[in-house]
Amino acid sequence: EAYETAMFINPEFASAKRFRLAFLRSTSFNVEAAAYKMVRYWENKVEVFGTENAFQTEITLGHFDEEDFDTLASGPIRILPFRDDVGRAIFYEYYPYLKFDRIRSIRKLFWLLIHFALFDNDGHRVQQKGVVFLGCYSNNISYRIPFDIVLRGYTRYIEVLSNDILNCLPIKIPAGHLVAQDSLSLRILEQVLYLLNDESRHRIYFYSLSQVQHNLHKWAECGIQPFTIPKQLGGSLEWS
C-alpha cells in the first residue's frame, strides 16, 4: 500500500532510475530481493516520518521536532568527512550514554544521514562501495542503569536499526567495527549481535577502547586510516 501511494504521489522519485538502481546495487542485482527491499522501504519510511512527509523526495531537517534536534545536537551518529581507502563512506556511532528513549529520534537521524550519503552528488559511489560502520559503545554505568535494562535497550536499538539496514534501506554494509569501552558493554554487544543473520554477524568485529594502537593497526589493514578516525577512538580526526 505504501509503495502504491508513493508511485501515485511522487512517481518522479519512486520510479526514478537512480532510486531503483540503489536497491539493485544493495542486493548485488538480485531483482527479487531489491523489489522486496523497495516495498519495505516505503512501509518503514511511513513508520519513521508519517504519511505527511514520507512521500517527499528529500528527507530534511524540516521533518525534525524539538526532541529530534536535541538528539542531533548530541551527535550520537555521524557520517565522517573522509572515505576509506576503497571509497566507502564511514558511518560513526558514538554512544557513551545511549538514551534508549530517543530511539525514534535516532532512527530519523539515521535515515537522514543514509539518504544524504546515498543520493548526494557522488552517492552512486557509496551505493557501489557501501558503508562501513564504526561504533563506540558504553554500558551507561554513570547512570547506574541495571544490566538487564541496558541489555533490553541495546536489543531494541539493534532490532530497529538492523531491520532498516537489512530489509529496507538500499545500502551495503561490508563491515562493522564495534568498540567497547568496558567489558560489560562488550558482553552486551556480543549478546545482541545474535539478532543479526549469519552473513551479517560474520562481518562484525569487536575491539576494546583500551587497545588503541592495536585497533588503529587493524583498521588500517581494513583501509580505515588514522586521519579518518575520530579522536575518541585514538585517531586524528577532530570535528564539531
Side-chain angles (χ1 to χ4, degrees):
E1 181 179 341
Y3 171 76
E4 294 172 350
T5 303
M7 290 295 294
F8 177 76
I9 294 177
N10 192 356
E12 294 81 8
F13 179 63
S15 62
K17 180 180 178 180
R18 73 183 187 113
F19 178 71
R20 293 177 175 243
L21 187 56
F23 288 91
L24 287 168
R25 285 170 171 159
S26 73
T27 60
S28 300
F29 288 86
N30 181 321
V31 176
E32 184 177 350
Y36 172 80
K37 257 194 170 186
M38 194 182 306
V39 171
R40 294 277 293 160
Y41 167 88
W42 290 110
E43 293 172 351
N44 281 267
K45 195 176 181 185
V46 169
E47 181 181 310
V48 175
F49 294 100
T51 54
E52 183 177 344
N53 299 315
F55 304 110
Q56 298 179 21
T57 300
E58 303 291 340
I59 296 176
T60 71
L61 294 178
H63 302 148
F64 280 39
D65 58 28
E66 184 177 349
E67 183 177 285
D68 300 332
F69 278 112
D70 183 60
T71 302
L72 175 63
S74 69
I77 308 176
R78 302 283 180 94
I79 290 182
L80 299 182
F82 300 107
R83 304 287 169 83
D84 73 359
D85 289 351
V86 297
R88 296 174 294 199
I90 303 174
F91 191 92
Y92 180 51
E93 300 176 292
Y94 182 62
Y95 290 116
Y97 307 110
L98 179 60
K99 298 180 179 178
F100 302 125
D101 60 338
R102 295 291 180 88
I103 290 178
R104 181 191 65 85
S105 293
I106 291 173
R107 193 179 182 196
K108 290 173 75 173
L109 177 57
F110 181 77
W111 276 66
L112 172 72
L113 293 175
I114 291 298
H115 255 248
F116 177 78
L118 291 174
F119 299 113
D120 73 348
N121 293 334
D122 67 342
H124 64 282
R125 293 195 182 95
V126 177
Q127 294 173 19
Q128 292 167 343
K129 302 293 185 180
V131 178
V132 174
F133 275 75
L134 186 61
C136 184
Y137 304 89
S138 166
N139 66 352
N140 292 24
I141 199 166
S142 293
Y143 287 139
R144 302 185 184 280
I145 301 176
F147 176 83
D148 60 330
I149 295 178
V150 175
L151 180 59
R152 285 200 300 270
Y154 270 110
T155 299
R156 176 58 181 158
Y157 170 75
I158 295 296
E159 283 178 338
V160 169
L161 291 197
S162 63
N163 170 68
D164 288 344
I165 292 169
L166 298 174
N167 298 320
C168 60
L169 286 169
I171 54 175
K172 293 189 293 186
I173 311 294
H177 303 276
L178 308 184
V179 183
Q181 292 190 342
D182 46 66
S183 59
L184 187 54
S185 55
L186 179 60
R187 283 177 53 203
I188 293 171
L189 289 174
E190 289 175 337
Q191 290 191 45
V192 299
L193 184 65
Y194 285 96
L195 294 169
L196 305 179
N197 59 36
D198 289 340
E199 182 182 358
S200 299
R201 272 203 305 272
H202 294 152
R203 297 198 298 265
I204 302 295
Y205 306 94
F206 293 107
Y207 306 83
S208 169
L209 189 60
S210 63
Q211 298 178 330
V212 173
Q213 293 305 314
H214 168 81
N215 299 345
L216 292 176
H217 176 73
K218 288 295 184 181
W219 292 329
E221 289 182 343
C222 297
I224 307 173
Q225 302 303 328
F227 74 89
T228 70
I229 298 171
K231 283 193 170 183
Q232 294 101 324
L233 301 184
S236 57
L237 179 62
E238 186 172 16
W239 87 101
S240 59

